[in-house]
Amino acid sequence: MMSRVLSLRHVLMVSLALNVGLILRVAYEGEIQRAERSLHGGLCFEDGEKNRGGWTSMADFSKDKAHLSQKNLLLKSPSSSTVRTEAQDGGEIVINLDHGDPTMYERFWQQMGDKTTVVISGWQSISYFSDVRNLCWFLEPEFAKAIIRLHKVVGNAITEDRHIVVGTGSTQLFQAALYALSPPNASEPMNVVSAAPYYSSYPLVTDFLKSGLYKWAGDAHAFTKDEPYIELVTSPNNPDGFTRQPVVNGNDGILIHDFAYYWPQYTPISFPADHDLMLFTVSKSMGHAGTRLGWALVKDREVAKKMTKFIELNTIGVSQDSQLRAAKILQAVSDSYDHASKPEGGELFFDYSHNQMAKRWKQLREAVKQSRLFSLPDFPLGLCSFSGQTFELQPAFAWLKCEREIEDCESFLRSHKILTRGGKHFGVSSEYVRISMLERDKMFDLFTERLSKILS
Amino acid sequence: MMSRVLSLRHVLMVSLALNVGLILRVAYEGEIQRAERSLHGGLCFEDGEKNRGGWTSMADFSKDKAHLSQKNLLLKSPSSSTVRTEAQDGGEIVINLDHGDPTMYERFWQQMGDKTTVVISGWQSISYFSDVRNLCWFLEPEFAKAIIRLHKVVGNAITEDRHIVVGTGSTQLFQAALYALSPPNASEPMNVVSAAPYYSSYPLVTDFLKSGLYKWAGDAHAFTKDEPYIELVTSPNNPDGFTRQPVVNGNDGILIHDFAYYWPQYTPISFPADHDLMLFTVSKSMGHAGTRLGWALVKDREVAKKMTKFIELNTIGVSQDSQLRAAKILQAVSDSYDHASKPEGGELFFDYSHNQMAKRWKQLREAVKQSRLFSLPDFPLGLCSFSGQTFELQPAFAWLKCEREIEDCESFLRSHKILTRGGKHFGVSSEYVRISMLERDKMFDLFTERLSKILS
């Protein structure tokens, strides 16, 4: 018994030490990293041409860190209350909203305390195999259960008679789907299209290995070839947030539905989606981008097998640790709604995130109105079957247009030290930019404050 | 204070519940899964042609589960002492040694108890970014530190003036290296070669996307083209265990050194490896295959950048949860050697694993001697700078040859319900098979017992 108590105490000490270490790291690195990242225009993932060869260098970082320290412009960590306001810093802080890094959710999970803490022993996850009875043999059964349950709770997708394929983020699953849906011995690579504005990563990820199986064929609106094609339907769409349907009229088309944002914080849930191949991701639903987890719901058994084969050849499966952790997080969210009452000392996840997004969109629309230089899309109202509320879409990205003959909106905002991603990366005009709505509060507040004061 | 105590108790309850759940799962699934896996000839990763289209089906699994239950031939979990011996089961159990699943290490980590338990809070790993100051921006700094320290402790690789790139297993890093080392705009794909017998995954992983950047060009011994090439040097080699040097004599060659097995349980460490691009993996060093983690030590900055770019486009980084966990495991191993005394109630990791491998190789050589149907390679003695001991190579795989005119060794052993991987997958004769030496004790014992009794 004594040794058991000691052992438990040991686990706790380990846990506490880890937490203390991590809090210190967040506090320190939050300062340095965010300032640096902002200054350099961010790192490159999801990026288009501008960053293709444009890696930040460590030497440059070091130089700029010194520079930043001198100017005392370092941003504080999210837990700090000492972040300067726009007025205090005089518009000097670089605000990076180029990536969709979902740091907004950090605060919610902090408030949840230990409810979603995961503990993994040294002897777990030794084998490559998670469940050899499953077609997707590297899918942790607990994660599979949690996915099915969450979809039932939210009502955003049909899971019956589907195979679940887990991936290292939905980016890997997107490639797995291309591999699975392209004929192995065709004379020409399969055409891959999506209606512009399309997610900026699609062309890059499709073409980076110059595959003989598939190739990027551009804007789906412009695709008129009498050839087989795969159409990516992202709904709500990244970057512009609208609900989407396929646009190509061909007969030889295969559809992939990217439902990364089909969650009640971003859009009214109007029906449980029921398509052949649907992609989801932990990053945008729960905010845990660092777990690198996504899942596909796949109707056809052979397609699910080939997707599993892709992941087997590409990475021999998917982190079991992250799957165990995500299982716990998804179950906790489902639990909180099953109990139908607020968990102790906190809000329900989708209520919290929905309210945050609503507040941010209101704040952004006010800033845009004040500036008179920009415009935003208008979204229709919709009834959400999950919450019972009627509301407008409130996307994870704002699709902002520069008015008054500003031709390059990204450069214009960059001159005001606001980093965004220009329309050309999404296959459309440079008058548009995509802006992440998922940054931490302080940064988002700085952004709207600065935007509202940009004079025409 | 009270709430703090409650909160701690909560963590403990969570931890215990998780452990109990997992132990039950291991116990139950251990039975079913291992029997099923064996019966079906295993799943396909690493596999060659035989399994390319040969997925096991869930329906088949269910059928066979019933069948197995009826015959009462289910294998027990590793913690159970009720596994039947070869004599008891009458040679009926299918012994699957096709994959290099490192389950042998499970027992060691169980004995370590809580020393390598990791605790991850719900608010950690929200951001995509682990360290924006690092060229490899998704590398967790703690994991990087642990890698450098472990190499120093073991003395198997130079880490100074190297970039560390983390990958979802060394399989992803291998592809990242091909991407980084192949010219982006060449008229022909880069030749990728390795000396036969070569790792069976190399040709499959190189060619599965029909990349225009690189292509499998076969046995390095046979490569005589006056064209650029990448040569994979795996040392100790998978499948045959020998120490390797490059074999192509060309001038346009670039080398990738795969050091997955350059650890003191498998081979005497004769020098700290000092090559341009070296690959390592957590799976084969520590046994945690389920974490899906590997790392590359890369001399050239531009190559490291391009490898990082590949992983960004392929999976937008690597599980942070697994990196935090692996950091803890690697540090614990290094700690135990720094303290230079045995940890409480257990052995030192490399001592334990070295002794296990020595015992298994002795046991296998005795069985082979008894059968008189097979032969094994002879290995030279070497002085290990890490342990100070002189010993023979004791590889993670046995490269067994069938003698006496058995032409297809894999089929021959399969008729005795021993599943292995035949020589043709490694680019050589079917007289050879590769056999995993890393299975759990009971299975390995059954294997040597059965092998010794196969009559000529």
Side-chain angles (χ1 to χ4, degrees):
Chain A
M1 184 60 196
M2 193 56 195
S3 74
R4 175 65 175 262
V5 170
L6 279 174
S7 156
L8 294 180
R9 213 172 269 170
H10 191 96
V11 175
L12 270 181
M13 282 169 61
V14 160
S15 160
L16 289 172
L18 187 73
N19 287 343
V20 167
L22 284 159
I23 288 165
L24 288 175
R25 198 186 111 197
V26 167
Y28 169 70
E29 298 198 351
E31 287 188 61
I32 305 294
Q33 293 185 5
R34 302 190 65 72
E36 285 172 342
R37 194 188 312 167
S38 298
L39 197 83
H40 286 273
L43 291 145
C44 332
F45 77 79
E46 296 186 358
D47 278 7
E49 285 158 41
K50 72 172 172 187
N51 274 329
R52 270 183 125 162
W55 278 83
T56 47
S57 83
M58 284 191 287
D60 290 346
F61 271 144
S62 304
K63 253 188 290 168
D64 287 313
K65 196 159 72 183
H67 168 75
L68 284 164
S69 299
Q70 280 169 2
K71 296 195 75 174
N72 195 24
L73 293 175
L74 294 177
L75 287 178
K76 296 298 175 188
S77 73
S79 56
S80 161
S81 58
T82 57
V83 171
R84 288 152 172 269
T85 63
E86 180 70 3
Q88 286 170 323
D89 88 75
E92 281 294 313
I93 292 174
V94 177
I95 299 168
N96 187 346
L97 302 171
D98 182 6
H99 304 105
D101 202 21
T103 46
M104 181 189 89
Y105 296 103
E106 204 171 60
R107 192 186 294 274
F108 176 84
W109 297 111
Q110 279 168 339
Q111 287 168 359
M112 285 297 98
D114 296 329
K115 287 189 184 67
T116 51
T117 298
V118 73
V119 179
I120 306 177
S121 298
W123 51 266
Q124 288 179 240
S125 304
I126 298 286
S127 173
Y128 287 97
F129 300 94
S130 291
D131 182 3
V132 292
R133 286 168 297 184
N134 197 323
L135 178 152
C136 183
W137 51 266
F138 46 79
L139 171 61
E140 284 290 315
E142 285 305 308
F143 186 45
K145 274 185 225 158
I147 287 167
I148 291 169
R149 184 164 170 226
L150 186 68
H151 281 307
K152 276 202 210 313
V153 167
V154 174
N156 64 339
I158 302 284
T159 56
E160 282 77 20
D161 301 320
R162 254 73 177 186
H163 302 280
I164 299 176
V165 181
V166 62
T168 310
S170 61
T171 299
Q172 187 181 37
L173 289 164
F174 162 60
Q175 292 158 81
L178 295 186
Y179 174 77
L181 298 172
S182 301
N185 298 312
S187 58
E188 288 295 315
M190 181 72 136
N191 298 292
V192 180
V193 298
S194 188
Y198 44 70
Y199 176 32
S200 50
S201 280
Y202 288 154
L204 301 176
V205 171
T206 304
D207 282 345
F208 80 119
L209 294 178
K210 300 191 173 186
S211 173
L213 300 176
Y214 45 77
K215 66 162 193 283
W216 179 248
D219 184 1
H221 292 295
F223 186 77
T224 53
K225 286 182 193 166
D226 190 20
E227 290 177 9
Y229 64 91
I230 294 169
E231 182 175 354
L232 304 162
V233 182
T234 310
S235 186
N237 191 41
N238 173 359
D240 67 4
F242 282 99
T243 301
R244 281 272 180 102
Q245 302 294 333
V247 306
V248 184
N249 272 324
N251 298 318
D252 292 335
I254 308 175
L255 303 180
I256 298 174
H257 280 82
D258 185 341
F259 282 132
Y261 304 96
Y262 193 47
W263 295 97
Q265 65 267 52
Y266 306 123
T267 181
I269 302 300
S270 49
F271 60 91
D274 183 18
H275 300 283
D276 288 348
L277 202 167
M278 306 188 279
L279 304 181
F280 294 89
T281 161
V282 172
S283 305
K284 298 308 194 289
S285 55
M286 300 289 128
H288 296 85
T291 62
R292 308 307 316 116
L293 278 187
W295 67 94
L297 302 179
V298 186
K299 230 181 235 175
D300 187 87
R301 180 177 174 75
E302 294 308 310
V303 172
K305 268 187 190 177
K306 278 198 73 178
M307 288 179 70
T308 301
K309 187 76 187 171
F310 175 95
I311 292 168
E312 176 194 320
L313 289 165
N314 188 203
T315 55
I316 320 186
V318 174
S319 165
Q320 290 173 19
D321 309 311
S322 282
Q323 290 186 68
L324 292 175
R325 184 169 178 234
K328 179 131 198 172
I329 291 166
L330 267 58
Q331 292 287 18
V333 169
S334 294
D335 280 348
S336 71
Y337 284 96
D338 274 5
H339 299 155
S341 65
K342 285 188 183 180
E344 286 169 53
E347 285 173 274
L348 295 161
F349 176 73
F350 290 116
D351 295 27
Y352 171 90
S353 51
H354 174 91
N355 293 341
Q356 282 291 311
M357 292 306 295
K359 185 174 153 248
R360 287 179 172 211
W361 271 93
K362 191 167 169 238
Q363 196 175 324
L364 177 62
R365 287 195 187 276
E366 276 164 17
V368 163
K369 198 173 164 190
Q370 277 184 42
S371 79
R372 293 183 296 179
L373 258 184
F374 310 104
S375 66
L376 286 168
D378 287 319
F379 297 114
L381 284 167
L383 173 65
C384 180
S385 58
F386 171 71
S387 65
Q389 291 182 293
T390 297
F391 62 91
E392 278 178 18
L393 285 160
Q394 38 192 50
F397 296 104
W399 188 234
L400 191 81
K401 191 181 177 199
C402 277
E403 302 287 350
R404 307 206 188 178
E405 296 174 1
I406 298 169
E407 283 177 14
D408 186 341
C409 194
E410 181 185 320
S411 297
F412 177 75
L413 287 172
R414 188 179 283 263
S415 73
H416 291 275
K417 297 196 171 64
I418 299 171
L419 307 183
T420 62
R421 191 172 301 178
K424 66 181 193 294
H425 300 295
F426 305 91
V428 297
S429 154
S430 296
E431 293 169 298
Y432 291 90
V433 291
R434 189 194 77 168
I435 296 171
S436 170
M437 297 290 285
L438 304 181
E439 260 295 333
R440 292 186 179 91
D441 285 344
K442 298 285 181 188
M443 192 64 92
F444 189 78
D445 292 345
L446 274 185
F447 160 62
T448 50
E449 196 182 342
R450 191 177 300 172
L451 196 75
S452 68
K453 289 180 183 159
I454 296 178
L455 300 175
S456 57
Chain B
M1 184 59 196
M2 193 57 194
S3 74
R4 175 62 175 262
V5 170
L6 280 173
S7 155
L8 294 180
R9 213 172 270 170
H10 193 97
V11 175
L12 269 181
M13 283 169 62
V14 159
S15 161
L16 289 173
L18 187 74
N19 286 342
V20 167
L22 284 159
I23 288 164
L24 288 174
R25 200 188 108 195
V26 166
Y28 170 70
E29 298 200 350
E31 288 187 62
I32 306 292
Q33 294 186 4
R34 301 191 64 73
E36 285 173 340
R37 196 186 312 166
S38 298
L39 198 83
H40 286 273
L43 290 146
C44 334
F45 79 80
E46 296 186 357
D47 277 7
E49 284 158 42
K50 69 173 172 186
N51 274 328
R52 271 185 124 163
W55 279 84
T56 48
S57 83
M58 283 190 289
D60 290 347
F61 270 145
S62 304
K63 255 188 293 172
D64 287 313
K65 196 159 71 183
H67 168 77
L68 284 166
S69 299
Q70 280 167 4
K71 297 196 75 172
N72 194 22
L73 293 173
L74 294 175
L75 287 178
K76 297 297 175 190
S77 72
S79 54
S80 161
S81 58
T82 58
V83 172
R84 289 154 170 268
T85 64
E86 180 70 3
Q88 285 169 323
D89 87 76
E92 280 295 313
I93 291 175
V94 177
I95 299 169
N96 188 346
L97 302 171
D98 181 4
H99 304 105
D101 202 20
T103 47
M104 180 188 90
Y105 296 104
E106 205 170 58
R107 191 186 295 273
F108 176 83
W109 297 112
Q110 280 168 339
Q111 287 168 0
M112 284 296 99
D114 296 329
K115 289 191 183 66
T116 51
T117 298
V118 73
V119 179
I120 305 177
S121 298
W123 50 265
Q124 288 179 240
S125 303
I126 298 285
S127 173
Y128 287 97
F129 299 93
S130 291
D131 182 3
V132 293
R133 284 167 297 184
N134 197 323
L135 179 151
C136 183
W137 51 265
F138 46 80
L139 172 60
E140 285 289 315
E142 285 306 308
F143 186 45
K145 273 184 226 160
I147 288 167
I148 291 169
R149 185 164 169 225
L150 186 68
H151 281 307
K152 277 201 209 314
V153 167
V154 175
N156 63 339
I158 301 283
T159 56
E160 282 78 19
D161 301 320
R162 255 72 177 185
H163 301 280
I164 299 175
V165 181
V166 62
T168 311
S170 62
T171 299
Q172 186 180 38
L173 289 165
F174 162 59
Q175 292 158 81
L178 296 186
Y179 174 77
L181 298 172
S182 301
N185 298 311
S187 57
E188 288 294 315
M190 181 73 139
N191 297 291
V192 180
V193 299
S194 188
Y198 44 70
Y199 176 32
S200 50
S201 281
Y202 288 153
L204 301 176
V205 171
T206 304
D207 281 345
F208 80 120
L209 294 178
K210 301 192 173 186
S211 173
L213 300 177
Y214 44 77
K215 65 163 194 282
W216 179 248
D219 183 0
H221 292 296
F223 186 77
T224 53
K225 286 183 194 166
D226 190 20
E227 289 177 11
Y229 65 91
I230 294 168
E231 181 174 355
L232 303 162
V233 182
T234 310
S235 186
N237 191 40
N238 173 0
D240 67 5
F242 283 100
T243 301
R244 281 271 180 103
Q245 302 294 333
V247 305
V248 185
N249 272 323
N251 299 316
D252 291 336
I254 308 175
L255 303 179
I256 298 174
H257 280 82
D258 185 341
F259 282 131
Y261 304 95
Y262 193 47
W263 295 99
Q265 64 267 54
Y266 306 122
T267 182
I269 301 300
S270 48
F271 59 91
D274 182 18
H275 299 282
D276 288 348
L277 202 166
M278 306 188 279
L279 304 182
F280 294 89
T281 162
V282 172
S283 305
K284 297 308 193 289
S285 54
M286 300 288 127
H288 295 85
T291 61
R292 308 307 315 116
L293 278 187
W295 67 93
L297 302 179
V298 186
K299 228 181 236 178
D300 186 87
R301 179 178 174 74
E302 294 307 310
V303 172
K305 268 188 190 177
K306 278 198 77 178
M307 289 179 69
T308 301
K309 187 75 186 173
F310 175 94
I311 293 168
E312 175 195 320
L313 288 165
N314 189 202
T315 54
I316 321 184
V318 174
S319 166
Q320 290 172 19
D321 309 311
S322 283
Q323 290 186 67
L324 292 175
R325 183 167 180 236
K328 180 133 197 169
I329 291 165
L330 267 58
Q331 292 287 19
V333 170
S334 294
D335 280 349
S336 71
Y337 283 95
D338 273 5
H339 299 155
S341 66
K342 284 189 185 181
E344 285 169 54
E347 285 175 274
L348 295 161
F349 176 73
F350 290 116
D351 295 27
Y352 171 91
S353 51
H354 174 92
N355 294 342
Q356 282 292 311
M357 292 306 296
K359 184 174 155 249
R360 286 179 172 211
W361 270 94
K362 191 167 171 236
Q363 195 174 324
L364 177 62
R365 287 196 186 275
E366 276 164 16
V368 164
K369 198 173 167 189
Q370 278 183 43
S371 79
R372 292 182 298 181
L373 259 184
F374 310 104
S375 67
L376 285 168
D378 288 319
F379 297 114
L381 284 167
L383 173 65
C384 179
S385 58
F386 172 71
S387 65
Q389 291 182 295
T390 296
F391 61 94
E392 277 180 19
L393 284 161
Q394 37 192 51
F397 297 103
W399 188 233
L400 191 82
K401 191 180 178 200
C402 275
E403 303 288 350
R404 307 205 189 177
E405 294 173 5
I406 297 169
E407 282 178 15
D408 186 341
C409 195
E410 182 186 320
S411 297
F412 177 76
L413 288 172
R414 188 179 284 263
S415 73
H416 291 274
K417 297 196 172 63
I418 299 171
L419 307 183
T420 62
R421 191 172 302 179
K424 67 181 191 296
H425 300 295
F426 305 91
V428 297
S429 155
S430 297
E431 294 169 297
Y432 292 90
V433 291
R434 190 194 75 168
I435 296 173
S436 171
M437 297 290 284
L438 305 181
E439 259 295 332
R440 292 185 179 92
D441 285 344
K442 299 284 181 188
M443 191 66 90
F444 188 77
D445 292 345
L446 275 184
F447 160 63
T448 50
E449 197 181 342
R450 191 176 300 171
L451 197 75
S452 68
K453 290 178 183 161
I454 296 177
L455 300 175
S456 57

